[in-house]
């Protein structure tokens, strides 16, 4: 236990710069989605769609709070296909900054949407928003170095919001012609931390720890919706939030039912150390879950322009998703 806690604390310190029991939604189709190998469709962009609300407190869990809206952007292929795969992406920024409209995310959104995916980029509450946090997280934060406790506590509302965004997408799957048998979650840095957690955590994690009376905005988060994630794309992230769940609730989330995972991580990353990638790789190998592992040799943190054997990160993600989900490439 001591080693797990030390690993968790180290990951939190270094991150500052930057589901096992999932039940599938009703399978609206058994068809396999078809995507294009090259950019084919024009992209329809819808900005700042409200997916839920969240509380923002003056101080942690203070009664003096306000309700803030939470937004996402949707990039859709301009076609009439009724059977589209989904890629939801979560920005990084150490849970204290970042935006759903970072230039690199916009590029990736257009890359995938022009090839047939519905690509969704989300915003979520950050550290300065001071979202509602369960008491057990507050209690555990006393073990976190004082300079990192606020960042640690910011992980909870960020994950709650990301899960709410995915449930909103599921609730609106018909409008966007989404095939829920082909769901990918990805992110960079803190966004990858969140993507990994969404993929391996239980459906009820980050929602049932707080009551509706304590946080009435939970009622805006489509709690009746369920989902199954089929692939995870991790750019220089870590399993720090999954470790937090395991320690606080004494229940291991990783197992052999986890979604296939792509890891791309700089070997000289000064922010989220490369050991975070190798630790995650070891867990996946132990559980015998499909894994694509790309050490970005000599590279640091946030290296969006990296290539592996001449392929860009979006191209690597494309190949991985297509292979693991068995998509048809036209």
């Amino acid at each position: 236990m001591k080693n797990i806690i030390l690993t968790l604390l180290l990951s939190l310190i270094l991150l500052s710069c930057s589901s096992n029991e999932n039940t599938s939604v009703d399978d609206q189709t058994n068809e396999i989605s078809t995507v294009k190998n090259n950019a084919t469709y024009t992209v329809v962009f819808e900005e700042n769609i409200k997916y839920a609300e969240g509380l923002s407190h003056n101080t942690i869990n203070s009664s003096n709070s306000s309700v803030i809206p939470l937004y996402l952007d949707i990039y859709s292929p301009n076609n009439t296909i009724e059977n589209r795969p989904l890629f939801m992406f979560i920005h990084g920024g150490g849970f204290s900054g970042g935006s759903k409209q970072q230039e690199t995310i916009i590029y990736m959104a257009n890359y995938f949407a022009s090839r047939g995916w519905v690509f969704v980029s989300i915003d979520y509450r950050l550290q300065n928003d001071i979202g509602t946090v369960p008491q057990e997280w507050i209690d555990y934060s006393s073990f976190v170095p004082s300079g990192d406790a606020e960042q640690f506590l910011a992980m909870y509302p960020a994950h709650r919001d990301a899960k709410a965004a995915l449930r909103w997408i599921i609730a609106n799957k018909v409008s966007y012609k989404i095939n829920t048998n082909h769901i990918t979650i990805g992110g960079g840095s803190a966004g990858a931390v969140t993507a990994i957690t969404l993929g391996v955590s239980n459906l009820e994690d980050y929602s049932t720890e707080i009551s509706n009376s304590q946080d009435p905005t939970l009622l805006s988060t489509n709690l009746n919706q369920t989902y199954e994630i089929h692939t995870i794309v991790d750019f220089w992230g870590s399993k720090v939030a999954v470790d937090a769940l395991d320690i606080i609730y004494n229940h291991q989330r990783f197992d052999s039912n986890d979604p296939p995972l792509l890891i791309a991580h700089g070997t000289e990353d000064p922010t989220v150390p490369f050991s975070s990638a190798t630790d995650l790789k070891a867990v996946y190998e132990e559980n015998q879950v499909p894994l694509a592992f790309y050490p970005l040799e000599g590279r640091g943190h946030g290296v969006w322009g990296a290539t592996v054997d001449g392929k860009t990160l979006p191209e690597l993600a494309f190949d991985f998703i297509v292979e693991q989900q068995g998509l048809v490439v036209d």
Side-chain angles (χ1 to χ4, degrees), residues 42-78:
T42 57
V43 176
V44 179
F45 175 56
E46 297 177 73
E47 183 179 16
N48 291 335
I49 299 171
K50 180 179 171 181
Y51 67 82
E53 297 175 333
L55 287 183
S56 176
H57 299 266
N58 280 12
T59 58
I60 291 292
N61 289 2
S62 66
S63 58
N64 193 348
S65 63
S66 58
V67 174
I68 61 175
L70 303 169
Y71 296 109
L72 53 76
D73 295 342
I74 299 181
Y75 302 76
S76 302
N78 188 10

mmCIF file of all heavy atoms in Angstrom, residues 42-78:
data_model
loop_
_atom_site.group_PDB
_atom_site.id
_atom_site.type_symbol
_atom_site.label_atom_id
_atom_site.label_comp_id
_atom_site.label_asym_id
_atom_site.label_seq_id
_atom_site.Cartn_x
_atom_site.Cartn_y
_atom_site.Cartn_z
ATOM 1 N N THR A 42 -16.675 16.915 -45.946
ATOM 2 C CA THR A 42 -16.565 18.205 -45.269
ATOM 3 C C THR A 42 -17.059 18.021 -43.833
ATOM 4 O O THR A 42 -17.823 17.100 -43.529
ATOM 5 C CB THR A 42 -17.397 19.284 -45.976
ATOM 6 O OG1 THR A 42 -18.769 18.858 -46.037
ATOM 7 C CG2 THR A 42 -16.889 19.538 -47.387
ATOM 8 N N VAL A 43 -16.595 18.888 -42.947
ATOM 9 C CA VAL A 43 -16.870 18.718 -41.524
ATOM 10 C C VAL A 43 -17.848 19.782 -41.050
ATOM 11 O O VAL A 43 -17.664 20.976 -41.302
ATOM 12 C CB VAL A 43 -15.563 18.796 -40.704
ATOM 13 C CG1 VAL A 43 -15.854 18.710 -39.205
ATOM 14 C CG2 VAL A 43 -14.614 17.675 -41.128
ATOM 15 N N VAL A 44 -18.898 19.338 -40.379
ATOM 16 C CA VAL A 44 -19.887 20.239 -39.791
ATOM 17 C C VAL A 44 -19.494 20.474 -38.338
ATOM 18 O O VAL A 44 -19.385 19.528 -37.546
ATOM 19 C CB VAL A 44 -21.301 19.633 -39.862
ATOM 20 C CG1 VAL A 44 -22.313 20.573 -39.213
ATOM 21 C CG2 VAL A 44 -21.681 19.335 -41.311
ATOM 22 N N PHE A 45 -19.280 21.729 -37.978
ATOM 23 C CA PHE A 45 -18.809 22.099 -36.648
ATOM 24 C C PHE A 45 -19.931 22.744 -35.846
ATOM 25 O O PHE A 45 -20.537 23.718 -36.283
ATOM 26 C CB PHE A 45 -17.629 23.061 -36.762
ATOM 27 C CG PHE A 45 -17.128 23.602 -35.443
ATOM 28 C CD1 PHE A 45 -16.737 22.748 -34.428
ATOM 29 C CD2 PHE A 45 -17.045 24.970 -35.240
ATOM 30 C CE1 PHE A 45 -16.268 23.243 -33.216
ATOM 31 C CE2 PHE A 45 -16.574 25.479 -34.039
ATOM 32 C CZ PHE A 45 -16.193 24.618 -33.023
ATOM 33 N N GLU A 46 -20.215 22.185 -34.685
ATOM 34 C CA GLU A 46 -21.197 22.757 -33.760
ATOM 35 C C GLU A 46 -20.478 23.106 -32.456
ATOM 36 O O GLU A 46 -19.906 22.232 -31.807
ATOM 37 C CB GLU A 46 -22.330 21.769 -33.490
ATOM 38 C CG GLU A 46 -23.138 21.422 -34.729
ATOM 39 C CD GLU A 46 -24.191 20.375 -34.421
ATOM 40 O OE1 GLU A 46 -25.192 20.712 -33.761
ATOM 41 O OE2 GLU A 46 -23.998 19.209 -34.825
ATOM 42 N N GLU A 47 -20.563 24.360 -32.072
ATOM 43 C CA GLU A 47 -19.755 24.874 -30.971
ATOM 44 C C GLU A 47 -20.591 25.123 -29.716
ATOM 45 O O GLU A 47 -21.744 25.520 -29.784
ATOM 46 C CB GLU A 47 -19.089 26.187 -31.416
ATOM 47 C CG GLU A 47 -18.161 26.807 -30.399
ATOM 48 C CD GLU A 47 -17.516 28.085 -30.926
ATOM 49 O OE1 GLU A 47 -18.015 28.632 -31.935
ATOM 50 O OE2 GLU A 47 -16.533 28.540 -30.319
ATOM 51 N N ASN A 48 -19.963 24.858 -28.564
ATOM 52 C CA ASN A 48 -20.522 25.219 -27.256
ATOM 53 C C ASN A 48 -21.934 24.672 -27.044
ATOM 54 O O ASN A 48 -22.875 25.410 -26.741
ATOM 55 C CB ASN A 48 -20.504 26.736 -27.066
ATOM 56 C CG ASN A 48 -19.101 27.276 -26.916
ATOM 57 O OD1 ASN A 48 -18.192 26.565 -26.500
ATOM 58 N ND2 ASN A 48 -18.917 28.553 -27.250
ATOM 59 N N ILE A 49 -22.061 23.373 -27.180
ATOM 60 C CA ILE A 49 -23.319 22.697 -26.866
ATOM 61 C C ILE A 49 -23.291 22.343 -25.379
ATOM 62 O O ILE A 49 -22.354 21.705 -24.895
ATOM 63 C CB ILE A 49 -23.474 21.426 -27.712
ATOM 64 C CG1 ILE A 49 -23.493 21.783 -29.205
ATOM 65 C CG2 ILE A 49 -24.736 20.666 -27.317
ATOM 66 C CD1 ILE A 49 -23.422 20.582 -30.108
ATOM 67 N N LYS A 50 -24.300 22.747 -24.676
ATOM 68 C CA LYS A 50 -24.350 22.487 -23.233
ATOM 69 C C LYS A 50 -24.697 21.026 -22.988
ATOM 70 O O LYS A 50 -25.720 20.539 -23.438
ATOM 71 C CB LYS A 50 -25.382 23.404 -22.570
ATOM 72 C CG LYS A 50 -25.518 23.214 -21.067
ATOM 73 C CD LYS A 50 -26.556 24.184 -20.510
ATOM 74 C CE LYS A 50 -26.881 23.897 -19.060
ATOM 75 N NZ LYS A 50 -27.915 24.827 -18.526
ATOM 76 N N TYR A 51 -23.826 20.323 -22.252
ATOM 77 C CA TYR A 51 -24.092 18.912 -21.972
ATOM 78 C C TYR A 51 -24.508 18.653 -20.532
ATOM 79 O O TYR A 51 -25.053 17.596 -20.214
ATOM 80 C CB TYR A 51 -22.887 18.042 -22.338
ATOM 81 C CG TYR A 51 -21.637 18.222 -21.501
ATOM 82 C CD1 TYR A 51 -21.492 17.588 -20.261
ATOM 83 C CD2 TYR A 51 -20.561 18.989 -21.958
ATOM 84 C CE1 TYR A 51 -20.334 17.722 -19.505
ATOM 85 C CE2 TYR A 51 -19.405 19.117 -21.214
ATOM 86 C CZ TYR A 51 -19.292 18.495 -19.992
ATOM 87 O OH TYR A 51 -18.140 18.632 -19.239
ATOM 88 N N ALA A 52 -24.260 19.594 -19.633
ATOM 89 C CA ALA A 52 -24.636 19.425 -18.227
ATOM 90 C C ALA A 52 -24.338 20.718 -17.488
ATOM 91 O O ALA A 52 -23.893 21.725 -18.085
ATOM 92 C CB ALA A 52 -23.876 18.260 -17.580
ATOM 93 N N GLU A 53 -24.569 20.694 -16.187
ATOM 94 C CA GLU A 53 -24.195 21.780 -15.294
ATOM 95 C C GLU A 53 -23.360 21.218 -14.146
ATOM 96 O O GLU A 53 -23.394 20.018 -13.865
ATOM 97 C CB GLU A 53 -25.437 22.475 -14.734
ATOM 98 C CG GLU A 53 -26.301 23.155 -15.786
ATOM 99 C CD GLU A 53 -27.578 23.739 -15.216
ATOM 100 O OE1 GLU A 53 -28.044 23.203 -14.170
ATOM 101 O OE2 GLU A 53 -28.112 24.691 -15.813
ATOM 102 N N GLY A 54 -22.635 22.111 -13.489
ATOM 103 C CA GLY A 54 -21.851 21.707 -12.325
ATOM 104 C C GLY A 54 -21.773 22.842 -11.327
ATOM 105 O O GLY A 54 -21.916 24.012 -11.692
ATOM 106 N N LEU A 55 -21.556 22.493 -10.073
ATOM 107 C CA LEU A 55 -21.407 23.506 -9.041
ATOM 108 C C LEU A 55 -19.973 24.030 -9.017
ATOM 109 O O LEU A 55 -19.016 23.287 -9.213
ATOM 110 C CB LEU A 55 -21.754 22.941 -7.667
ATOM 111 C CG LEU A 55 -23.225 22.676 -7.354
ATOM 112 C CD1 LEU A 55 -23.368 22.178 -5.920
ATOM 113 C CD2 LEU A 55 -24.062 23.927 -7.576
ATOM 114 N N SER A 56 -19.857 25.318 -8.738
ATOM 115 C CA SER A 56 -18.565 25.956 -8.508
ATOM 116 C C SER A 56 -18.639 26.643 -7.149
ATOM 117 O O SER A 56 -19.475 27.523 -6.943
ATOM 118 C CB SER A 56 -18.257 26.971 -9.612
ATOM 119 O OG SER A 56 -17.048 27.656 -9.348
ATOM 120 N N HIS A 57 -17.781 26.230 -6.222
ATOM 121 C CA HIS A 57 -17.832 26.733 -4.848
ATOM 122 C C HIS A 57 -16.788 27.826 -4.623
ATOM 123 O O HIS A 57 -15.781 27.897 -5.326
ATOM 124 C CB HIS A 57 -17.551 25.587 -3.867
ATOM 125 C CG HIS A 57 -18.532 24.463 -3.936
ATOM 126 N ND1 HIS A 57 -19.635 24.370 -3.123
ATOM 127 C CD2 HIS A 57 -18.578 23.361 -4.741
ATOM 128 C CE1 HIS A 57 -20.312 23.266 -3.405
ATOM 129 N NE2 HIS A 57 -19.694 22.637 -4.396
ATOM 130 N N ASN A 58 -17.042 28.649 -3.624
ATOM 131 C CA ASN A 58 -16.036 29.636 -3.227
ATOM 132 C C ASN A 58 -14.826 28.956 -2.598
ATOM 133 O O ASN A 58 -13.684 29.352 -2.832
ATOM 134 C CB ASN A 58 -16.625 30.651 -2.248
ATOM 135 C CG ASN A 58 -17.432 31.717 -2.970
ATOM 136 O OD1 ASN A 58 -17.725 31.571 -4.157
ATOM 137 N ND2 ASN A 58 -17.791 32.788 -2.282
ATOM 138 N N THR A 59 -15.079 27.970 -1.771
ATOM 139 C CA THR A 59 -14.057 27.100 -1.213
ATOM 140 C C THR A 59 -14.589 25.672 -1.288
ATOM 141 O O THR A 59 -15.768 25.469 -1.581
ATOM 142 C CB THR A 59 -13.729 27.470 0.245
ATOM 143 O OG1 THR A 59 -14.935 27.395 1.024
ATOM 144 C CG2 THR A 59 -13.153 28.884 0.342
ATOM 145 N N ILE A 60 -13.745 24.695 -1.023
ATOM 146 C CA ILE A 60 -14.148 23.306 -1.185
ATOM 147 C C ILE A 60 -15.456 23.014 -0.451
ATOM 148 O O ILE A 60 -15.555 23.169 0.762
ATOM 149 C CB ILE A 60 -13.046 22.357 -0.695
ATOM 150 C CG1 ILE A 60 -11.837 22.417 -1.632
ATOM 151 C CG2 ILE A 60 -13.560 20.924 -0.587
ATOM 152 C CD1 ILE A 60 -12.092 21.841 -3.014
ATOM 153 N N ASN A 61 -16.476 22.637 -1.235
ATOM 154 C CA ASN A 61 -17.792 22.221 -0.743
ATOM 155 C C ASN A 61 -18.494 23.274 0.114
ATOM 156 O O ASN A 61 -19.378 22.951 0.914
ATOM 157 C CB ASN A 61 -17.687 20.913 0.039
ATOM 158 C CG ASN A 61 -17.388 19.724 -0.844
ATOM 159 O OD1 ASN A 61 -17.213 19.850 -2.052
ATOM 160 N ND2 ASN A 61 -17.306 18.543 -0.256
ATOM 161 N N SER A 62 -18.139 24.546 -0.055
ATOM 162 C CA SER A 62 -18.817 25.599 0.706
ATOM 163 C C SER A 62 -20.254 25.757 0.225
ATOM 164 O O SER A 62 -20.591 25.430 -0.923
ATOM 165 C CB SER A 62 -18.081 26.932 0.556
ATOM 166 O OG SER A 62 -18.148 27.391 -0.786
ATOM 167 N N SER A 63 -21.126 26.246 1.090
ATOM 168 C CA SER A 63 -22.524 26.471 0.719
ATOM 169 C C SER A 63 -22.657 27.630 -0.253
ATOM 170 O O SER A 63 -23.660 27.744 -0.960
ATOM 171 C CB SER A 63 -23.360 26.738 1.975
ATOM 172 O OG SER A 63 -22.852 27.863 2.675
ATOM 173 N N ASN A 64 -21.662 28.486 -0.286
ATOM 174 C CA ASN A 64 -21.656 29.610 -1.228
ATOM 175 C C ASN A 64 -21.140 29.104 -2.566
ATOM 176 O O ASN A 64 -19.931 28.953 -2.765
ATOM 177 C CB ASN A 64 -20.758 30.731 -0.689
ATOM 178 C CG ASN A 64 -20.962 32.021 -1.467
ATOM 179 O OD1 ASN A 64 -21.593 32.030 -2.520
ATOM 180 N ND2 ASN A 64 -20.419 33.111 -0.946
ATOM 181 N N SER A 65 -22.066 28.826 -3.480
ATOM 182 C CA SER A 65 -21.692 28.239 -4.765
ATOM 183 C C SER A 65 -22.588 28.779 -5.863
ATOM 184 O O SER A 65 -23.627 29.396 -5.606
ATOM 185 C CB SER A 65 -21.805 26.712 -4.705
ATOM 186 O OG SER A 65 -23.143 26.326 -4.469
ATOM 187 N N SER A 66 -22.167 28.531 -7.092
ATOM 188 C CA SER A 66 -22.965 28.919 -8.253
ATOM 189 C C SER A 66 -23.005 27.759 -9.228
ATOM 190 O O SER A 66 -22.164 26.855 -9.183
ATOM 191 C CB SER A 66 -22.372 30.160 -8.930
ATOM 192 O OG SER A 66 -21.033 29.914 -9.336
ATOM 193 N N VAL A 67 -23.993 27.771 -10.110
ATOM 194 C CA VAL A 67 -24.139 26.730 -11.124
ATOM 195 C C VAL A 67 -23.511 27.231 -12.418
ATOM 196 O O VAL A 67 -23.818 28.328 -12.885
ATOM 197 C CB VAL A 67 -25.625 26.385 -11.348
ATOM 198 C CG1 VAL A 67 -25.779 25.406 -12.504
ATOM 199 C CG2 VAL A 67 -26.236 25.830 -10.070
ATOM 200 N N ILE A 68 -22.604 26.437 -12.970
ATOM 201 C CA ILE A 68 -21.966 26.826 -14.230
ATOM 202 C C ILE A 68 -22.298 25.808 -15.319
ATOM 203 O O ILE A 68 -22.406 24.613 -15.051
ATOM 204 C CB ILE A 68 -20.437 26.984 -14.083
ATOM 205 C CG1 ILE A 68 -19.782 25.666 -13.648
ATOM 206 C CG2 ILE A 68 -20.107 28.088 -13.092
ATOM 207 C CD1 ILE A 68 -18.266 25.743 -13.605
ATOM 208 N N PRO A 69 -22.485 26.279 -16.558
ATOM 209 C CA PRO A 69 -22.773 25.355 -17.666
ATOM 210 C C PRO A 69 -21.494 24.675 -18.135
ATOM 211 O O PRO A 69 -20.390 25.234 -18.024
ATOM 212 C CB PRO A 69 -23.340 26.279 -18.742
ATOM 213 C CG PRO A 69 -22.684 27.603 -18.466
ATOM 214 C CD PRO A 69 -22.494 27.682 -16.979
ATOM 215 N N LEU A 70 -21.642 23.483 -18.694
ATOM 216 C CA LEU A 70 -20.521 22.718 -19.222
ATOM 217 C C LEU A 70 -20.764 22.476 -20.709
ATOM 218 O O LEU A 70 -21.858 22.079 -21.108
ATOM 219 C CB LEU A 70 -20.398 21.389 -18.479
ATOM 220 C CG LEU A 70 -20.239 21.512 -16.954
ATOM 221 C CD1 LEU A 70 -20.402 20.157 -16.278
ATOM 222 C CD2 LEU A 70 -18.901 22.132 -16.600
ATOM 223 N N TYR A 71 -19.743 22.699 -21.516
ATOM 224 C CA TYR A 71 -19.923 22.713 -22.960
ATOM 225 C C TYR A 71 -19.020 21.706 -23.670
ATOM 226 O O TYR A 71 -17.939 21.350 -23.198
ATOM 227 C CB TYR A 71 -19.624 24.101 -23.520
ATOM 228 C CG TYR A 71 -20.560 25.181 -23.032
ATOM 229 C CD1 TYR A 71 -20.121 26.169 -22.141
ATOM 230 C CD2 TYR A 71 -21.892 25.227 -23.454
ATOM 231 C CE1 TYR A 71 -20.980 27.165 -21.694
ATOM 232 C CE2 TYR A 71 -22.753 26.225 -23.014
ATOM 233 C CZ TYR A 71 -22.297 27.187 -22.138
ATOM 234 O OH TYR A 71 -23.145 28.167 -21.688
ATOM 235 N N LEU A 72 -19.482 21.299 -24.846
ATOM 236 C CA LEU A 72 -18.681 20.474 -25.751
ATOM 237 C C LEU A 72 -18.853 20.972 -27.178
ATOM 238 O O LEU A 72 -19.805 21.694 -27.492
ATOM 239 C CB LEU A 72 -19.056 18.997 -25.631
ATOM 240 C CG LEU A 72 -20.531 18.552 -25.767
ATOM 241 C CD1 LEU A 72 -21.013 18.553 -27.211
ATOM 242 C CD2 LEU A 72 -20.734 17.182 -25.155
ATOM 243 N N ASP A 73 -17.914 20.606 -28.031
ATOM 244 C CA ASP A 73 -17.975 20.898 -29.469
ATOM 245 C C ASP A 73 -18.108 19.582 -30.222
ATOM 246 O O ASP A 73 -17.508 18.568 -29.836
ATOM 247 C CB ASP A 73 -16.702 21.603 -29.950
ATOM 248 C CG ASP A 73 -16.514 22.990 -29.348
ATOM 249 O OD1 ASP A 73 -17.500 23.563 -28.834
ATOM 250 O OD2 ASP A 73 -15.369 23.488 -29.383
ATOM 251 N N ILE A 74 -18.867 19.602 -31.310
ATOM 252 C CA ILE A 74 -19.070 18.396 -32.114
ATOM 253 C C ILE A 74 -18.640 18.654 -33.553
ATOM 254 O O ILE A 74 -19.030 19.648 -34.176
ATOM 255 C CB ILE A 74 -20.535 17.934 -32.085
ATOM 256 C CG1 ILE A 74 -20.952 17.597 -30.646
ATOM 257 C CG2 ILE A 74 -20.743 16.722 -33.003
ATOM 258 C CD1 ILE A 74 -22.378 17.110 -30.510
ATOM 259 N N TYR A 75 -17.817 17.751 -34.066
ATOM 260 C CA TYR A 75 -17.364 17.761 -35.452
ATOM 261 C C TYR A 75 -17.960 16.523 -36.122
ATOM 262 O O TYR A 75 -17.627 15.394 -35.762
ATOM 263 C CB TYR A 75 -15.845 17.704 -35.523
ATOM 264 C CG TYR A 75 -15.118 18.826 -34.803
ATOM 265 C CD1 TYR A 75 -15.007 18.835 -33.405
ATOM 266 C CD2 TYR A 75 -14.503 19.855 -35.521
ATOM 267 C CE1 TYR A 75 -14.320 19.848 -32.750
ATOM 268 C CE2 TYR A 75 -13.811 20.870 -34.864
ATOM 269 C CZ TYR A 75 -13.735 20.855 -33.477
ATOM 270 O OH TYR A 75 -13.050 21.865 -32.827
ATOM 271 N N SER A 76 -18.842 16.737 -37.101
ATOM 272 C CA SER A 76 -19.534 15.624 -37.749
ATOM 273 C C SER A 76 -19.215 15.588 -39.234
ATOM 274 O O SER A 76 -19.071 16.639 -39.874
ATOM 275 C CB SER A 76 -21.051 15.752 -37.571
ATOM 276 O OG SER A 76 -21.418 15.791 -36.214
ATOM 277 N N PRO A 77 -19.143 14.389 -39.812
ATOM 278 C CA PRO A 77 -18.973 14.301 -41.265
ATOM 279 C C PRO A 77 -20.260 14.703 -41.972
ATOM 280 O O PRO A 77 -21.362 14.341 -41.547
ATOM 281 C CB PRO A 77 -18.662 12.812 -41.485
ATOM 282 C CG PRO A 77 -19.321 12.125 -40.332
ATOM 283 C CD PRO A 77 -19.227 13.064 -39.169
ATOM 284 N N ASN A 78 -20.120 15.461 -43.028
ATOM 285 C CA ASN A 78 -21.294 15.906 -43.779
ATOM 286 C C ASN A 78 -21.700 14.794 -44.743
ATOM 287 O O ASN A 78 -21.393 14.802 -45.935
ATOM 288 C CB ASN A 78 -20.974 17.192 -44.543
ATOM 289 C CG ASN A 78 -22.210 17.802 -45.170
ATOM 290 O OD1 ASN A 78 -23.332 17.380 -44.892
ATOM 291 N ND2 ASN A 78 -22.016 18.792 -46.020
#
